[in-house]
Amino acid sequence: MRMRKKAWAEPFLKENADFVIEKPEIWAGHWREKLACQRLRIEIGSGKGDYFTKMAAMNPDEGWIGIEKEHNVAAVAAKKALAQPHEHMALIAQDADQLSSWFAKGELDVIHLNFSDPWPKSGYAKRRLSHARFLKQYEALLNPQGQVIMKTDNPKLFEFSLTEFSRENWQLREVSVDFRRQPHPEDAITEYEQKFMDLGQPIYRAVWQKKA
Ligand code: SAM
């Protein structure tokens, strides 16, 4: 997600360094203590933060960490999160390429991928957040029952992801090609999801669990 440059974004992210974690590697293995939680979830590519801020409010006993590389966008998410009780939340305003150094092996319960950039040209496939090079990192960071939950509007990205997870021997636990046909009050609607729902487009969703 690209946004016009916001002059306040960089200073705001720095001023709130207790929430926007500049050196996440320091907390590897200690996120549960930091966020005073039992279960730990991350959202990679959290955009303006609607999903993880709403889900954190709905699940105050869980730890929620948003990861967003675009600082102008991350600053909007930070503002949103800081306006609500946020002791069990954090934001990492960096590229998820470094994910493996930020968390200990087995530390995560759930990884959310919501409306990830599709990178349609095959030459950029490695940048997709469901590419095997990311799945190998997710596998190491999730606990044995850990899950990746993906939502997307993009059938090609969905198909690519189903194939990629299958090739990497993940178990497909749930799959839907029209997730919002039924009400799902337990699952917050993201900014992008709302746009596609308003256009009447189906939302694809899948849940994968690590191989046994
Ligand atoms: N998840 C939000 C939603 O559903 O409304 C935003 C979706 S937007 C299409 C994808 C977001 O992922 C963008 O804001 C982009 O900057 C971010 N992103 C893409 N690749 C990323 C990466 N490797 N690390 C961190 N953020 C990333």
Side-chain angles (χ1 to χ4, degrees), residues 102-137:
W102 301 339
F103 301 98
K105 288 205 166 99
E107 189 168 21
L108 300 176
D109 291 288
V110 183
I111 297 173
H112 291 272
L113 304 175
N114 289 323
F115 300 86
S116 304
D117 294 335
W119 295 106
K121 290 188 182 156
S122 58
Y124 291 120
K126 277 189 172 177
R127 297 188 190 180
R128 296 175 193 149
L129 292 174
S130 49
H131 187 277
R133 86 186 169 97
F134 279 105
L135 303 195
K136 290 182 201 309
Q137 295 190 57

Side-chain angles (χ1 to χ4, degrees), residues 36-95:
C37 64
Q38 291 299 316
R39 273 173 72 74
L40 188 59
R41 301 197 192 216
I42 65 171
E43 183 191 8
I44 306 179
S46 49
K48 294 187 204 161
D50 265 19
Y51 188 74
F52 84 99
T53 57
K54 287 191 231 167
M55 291 295 280
M58 284 156 62
N59 302 281
D61 52 334
E62 296 183 337
W64 282 84
I65 303 173
I67 298 171
E68 173 53 54
K69 65 178 178 177
E70 293 291 334
H71 283 194
N72 290 308
V73 182
V76 176
K79 208 174 216 187
K80 210 172 274 172
L82 289 165
Q84 68 184 55
H86 53 268
E87 294 71 24
H88 60 301
M89 301 164 69
L91 182 67
I92 300 173
Q94 298 178 40
D95 195 305

